[in-house]
Amino acid sequence: NDFTSMMVHELRSPLGNIKKIGELMKSSKVLEDKEATNEYVSMLYESSSSMLNLVNDLLDVAKLESGKFEVSKRPSNLNELVLERIKFYTTSGNETGITLKLFWDQKISPEVPFDRDRLRQVMNNLLSNAFKYTPKGGTVSVECFLHKAGADLGQEALALGFPWISESANRTSAPLPDSVVVGVTDTGEGVSQENIDKLWNKFIQFVSTVRKGDDHKGTGLGLVIIKGIVEAHGGTVGLGSKIGKGSTFYFTLPL
């Protein structure tokens, strides 16, 4: 019932917009107004894109659950991909007064094996979430560094002078192999331990208290898909958070 309710809600808005715009564009007077026509075409594009993103998320989750989700890893330039995503989100940061920073460990090899399209999807989700829960005037940082098997991720990041919020001391996951670590740290409201345990579940969506005037509705599928993509690469995902201080969401790519 929850799933059906959520799908109806998410699809109704863009479908309603498309219908209304279609009705308006039947009028010859509207089509004679070039500026109005361009605006309606833009709205059609945004509404249809929203629907397509939702459908793609649902298909990805279906593939994950059926065991048919695959990635195509090839040696690619990770720095280039990260800079591309930072450049894209810098515009959003300027509009909201949020500063976007990059911290890069120069020891990372120029080429790392990963699926470029899927990793772009991961970066988009993590950066979008960071902006969603960061107040105006805050900071979002992207950190990339090499992890040596047996070392502590948080200590490695802090030794490099990177902003990093470590996981709670009760982390029990298996030791990580030599990996590239990519983290996104925000200065937002943080996530409680109770909610951390729920984050990787489907259709769980937490409401931001720092950006109340903005529309941040979603399906709650983003982190589930991130986890699936990273694990398909042989990596792992994690989160460190402190209430009132912010959060670090990270993933690893084994070397």
Side-chain angles (χ1 to χ4, degrees):
N1 287 339
D2 289 343
F3 171 78
T4 303
S5 176
M6 185 270 292
M7 285 294 101
V8 169
H9 176 79
E10 292 294 328
L11 289 171
R12 177 183 288 171
S13 180
L15 278 170
N17 289 340
I18 290 170
K19 181 180 179 181
K20 290 175 185 176
I21 294 166
E23 290 172 349
L24 288 169
M25 293 185 74
K26 285 181 179 180
S27 169
S28 59
K29 291 182 179 179
V30 171
L31 295 176
E32 289 171 3
D33 186 337
K34 187 175 181 180
E35 185 176 342
T37 301
N38 289 337
E39 182 180 351
Y40 290 141
V41 170
S42 177
M43 291 170 67
L44 282 171
Y45 176 80
E46 290 175 5
S47 294
S48 58
S49 295
S50 175
M51 290 176 60
L52 182 60
N53 289 336
L54 173 59
V55 171
N56 284 337
D57 282 352
L58 290 169
L59 288 173
D60 282 343
V61 170
K63 289 178 183 177
L64 286 169
E65 294 191 335
S66 66
K68 297 179 180 179
F69 189 87
E70 297 179 353
V71 295
S72 178
K73 294 195 291 185
R74 296 179 182 177
S76 302
N77 191 315
L78 181 62
N79 182 262
E80 185 180 90
L81 175 63
V82 171
L83 287 174
E84 172 197 303
R85 292 298 85 201
I86 286 178
K87 183 178 180 181
F88 179 84
Y89 279 92
T90 294
T91 302
S92 297
N94 292 337
E95 292 175 353
T96 57
I98 295 174
T99 302
L100 185 55
K101 296 181 178 181
L102 172 63
F103 295 83
W104 186 269
D105 180 358
Q106 295 300 323
K107 296 191 293 292
I108 296 177
S109 171
E111 290 196 335
V112 178
F114 63 88
D115 185 318
R116 191 177 184 87
D117 290 337
R118 287 301 188 180
L119 212 63
R120 181 183 290 109
Q121 189 177 355
V122 170
M123 291 301 302
N124 284 343
N125 269 297
L126 290 180
L127 285 168
S128 176
N129 282 345
F131 274 85
K132 183 187 302 184
Y133 294 100
T134 300
K136 294 180 180 179
T139 302
V140 172
S141 304
V142 178
E143 308 98 359
C144 304
F145 60 93
L146 281 179
H147 165 70
K148 291 295 182 182
D152 180 87
L153 285 180
Q155 292 179 3
E156 288 176 315
L158 295 175
L160 290 166
F162 293 178
W164 189 273
I165 299 176
S166 297
E167 291 177 290
S168 56
N170 62 356
R171 184 173 186 268
T172 58
S173 57
L176 298 173
D178 289 352
S179 308
V180 172
V181 182
V182 180
V184 175
T185 299
D186 62 62
T187 55
E189 56 204 272
V191 183
S192 68
Q193 186 61 50
E194 179 185 1
N195 285 337
I196 287 176
D197 296 337
K198 300 176 183 177
L199 273 177
W200 310 103
N201 295 334
K202 288 181 298 181
F203 311 124
I204 296 295
Q205 183 83 358
F206 298 115
V207 177
S208 173
T209 60
V210 298
R211 307 276 295 283
K212 292 180 180 178
D214 296 343
D215 181 12
H216 293 306
K217 294 174 183 176
T219 61
L221 297 175
L223 289 177
V224 175
I225 294 170
I226 286 174
K227 188 172 185 286
I229 291 173
V230 172
E231 290 181 349
H233 279 79
T236 187
V237 294
L239 162 66
S241 188
K242 291 181 180 178
I243 297 296
K245 297 292 184 180
S247 306
T248 295
F249 284 84
Y250 72 85
F251 64 90
T252 67
L253 296 172
L255 297 173

